[in-house]
Amino acid sequence: ESLDKGLEKTKDSFISKLTKAMVGKSKVDDEVLDNLEEMLVTSDVGVQTTLKIIKRIEQRVEKDNYVTTSDLDKILKEEIAGLLAENNSEDLSDYEIPKVSGPYVILVVGVNGVGKTTTIGKLAAQFKKKGKKVVLGAADTFRAAAVDQLKMWGERVGVPVVSHGMNTDPASVAFDAAKQGLDQQADIVIIDTAGRLHTKVNLMNELSKIKRVIQKFIPEAPHEVLLVLDGSTGQNAFVQATEFTKATEVSALAITKLDGTAKGGVVLGISDQFKIPVKYIGVGEKVDDLQVFNKHEFVDSLFN
Ligand code: GDP
């Protein structure tokens, strides 16, 4: 399965670090817990979330008095699953989109290079496969490449792309995309935005302007603000999540390139730290390598 394959590096690293953490001991003690802590931090779970997990395991060790290291992977798996469940209460099935009046509008944000365009293309393909009518909006107008690439995906997948070309007003592209979606009774409108982080005020203004113009005729839109993060960038992904959640209300995460990293712990850490559900994960470059996030399958892939 592509999820197992995509998470292989993380899994291998998890298992070898866990084995090392036990240092030939039969009982979980402070040293084992210290090693476990280091294992989680070096897997990009993030310090805050790591300490939370360690504390919970410590409490179990105290309560049960004697916990064997052979039970450690089972315990860790349970704690990770429990933590994921806190911010990922629903398990979405198969690219389902809630029913709304008019098109369901997804605003996609994230810095350049994280896989934003690819994720939009893959999403469009999956939605279309499910029989949905999709319109894309190329509102990342600061890079010619971004517009071209989205058009390429549109052609490949067979969905219309609304574009005014480079250096045009992103909000006006978003307006037209949403309008076309409404007029043509599309099910889903996905809008690509520019990911310029170095000017936070600009980013904030731009995103609120985009929201404002869409809301003129679809008042509840955007129904989703999807932040795309590159899972292989570790602490950078945490920094980007901090910046974007400050600039706008992010409702869901897509974490890409998990196939290229041994530090898939970032999925757990970011979701926990920012209290945002992970909706999609990228485990490769092919269309089917974008997957709807399922916490049970994710944890199973890491431990089984
Ligand atoms: P953007 O600048 O954020 O729009 O990024 P792109 O969509 O252009 O993606 C940048 C690169 O990352 C491209 O070469 C993609 O094929 C690649 N990419 C995107 N998602 C994934 C993924 O899940 N796994 C891998 N291995 N590569 C990915």
Side-chain angles (χ1 to χ4, degrees):
E1 220 223 75
S2 86
L3 181 66
D4 286 335
K5 212 170 163 298
L7 295 174
E8 212 165 44
K9 287 185 185 161
T10 298
K11 177 195 172 143
D12 289 350
S13 140
F14 245 55
I15 288 169
S16 82
K17 283 179 187 168
L18 197 57
T19 310
K20 253 195 240 155
M22 298 180 196
V23 290
K25 293 193 173 189
S26 57
K27 180 177 184 260
V28 175
D29 60 12
D30 286 348
E31 191 187 350
V32 173
L33 286 173
D34 280 348
N35 293 339
L36 190 62
E37 183 177 324
E38 193 186 318
M39 161 200 171
L40 293 170
V41 170
T42 57
S43 301
D44 277 337
V45 170
V47 174
Q48 199 173 305
T49 304
T50 294
L51 293 180
K52 211 189 260 186
I53 296 171
I54 295 295
K55 196 164 157 211
R56 290 182 188 185
I57 296 179
E58 247 166 17
Q59 282 164 348
R60 286 174 77 150
V61 171
E62 255 167 49
K63 191 167 149 277
D64 298 347
N65 209 6
Y66 192 95
V67 173
T68 61
T69 47
S70 59
D71 282 338
L72 197 55
D73 69 335
K74 191 176 127 274
I75 289 172
L76 185 62
K77 185 179 167 184
E78 282 170 13
E79 291 302 335
I80 288 178
L83 211 57
L84 275 174
E86 287 176 19
N87 297 297
N88 296 275
S89 48
E90 310 171 54
D91 267 328
L92 297 153
S93 54
D94 206 19
Y95 296 94
E96 246 170 52
I97 286 292
K99 261 232 132 339
V100 295
S101 62
Y104 187 86
V105 179
I106 305 173
L107 196 62
V108 184
V109 302
V111 304
N112 299 334
V114 293
K116 206 152 38 90
T117 317
T118 307
T119 299
I120 294 172
K122 287 171 174 173
L123 273 178
Q126 298 293 355
F127 288 140
K128 182 147 191 241
K129 220 196 268 179
K130 291 217 72 184
K132 302 291 181 200
K133 192 166 176 187
V134 184
V135 171
L136 302 181
D140 181 355
T141 60
F142 290 87
R143 289 183 308 152
V147 176
D148 291 345
Q149 217 186 329
L150 200 66
K151 283 186 183 160
M152 221 179 65
W153 271 104
E155 260 162 48
R156 195 200 291 184
V157 176
V159 304
V161 179
V162 174
S163 159
H164 297 174
M166 211 192 146
N167 289 326
T168 53
D169 180 11
S172 132
V173 177
F175 181 93
D176 284 353
K179 184 147 191 323
Q180 181 168 325
L182 195 63
D183 291 347
Q184 300 185 352
Q185 292 174 342
D187 301 293
I188 300 159
V189 174
I190 310 177
I191 298 168
D192 189 15
T193 65
R196 299 168 304 157
L197 253 194
H198 49 283
T199 51
K200 204 172 83 212
V201 178
N202 279 356
L203 176 72
M204 212 185 296
N205 290 343
E206 193 171 296
L207 293 175
S208 32
K209 189 174 168 198
I210 288 176
K211 284 184 183 178
R212 245 183 358 254
V213 300
I214 305 173
Q215 284 163 356
K216 280 186 183 156
F217 48 96
I218 310 176
E220 314 80 36
H223 302 87
E224 185 168 308
V225 177
L226 182 70
L227 171 63
V228 182
L229 297 168
D230 178 342
S232 68
T233 59
Q235 290 312 301
N236 277 338
F238 280 81
V239 172
Q240 289 162 21
T242 305
E243 297 301 321
F244 275 95
T245 50
K246 273 190 210 155
T248 191
E249 217 167 293
V250 175
S251 63
L253 301 171
I255 303 185
T256 64
K257 307 189 198 182
L258 290 171
D259 51 311
T261 180
K263 300 185 167 194
V266 70
V267 170
L268 175 65
I270 295 219
S271 179
D272 178 53
Q273 190 167 324
F274 295 93
K275 309 279 172 251
I276 302 172
V278 179
K279 201 156 183 185
Y280 305 105
I281 55 173
V283 291
E285 294 193 88
K286 291 194 305 294
V287 167
D288 288 332
D289 293 334
L290 182 77
Q291 302 198 345
V292 172
F293 181 70
N294 177 299
K295 55 182 181 283
H296 304 292
E297 285 170 10
F298 181 79
V299 175
D300 281 346
S301 289
L302 290 188
F303 286 93
N304 291 350

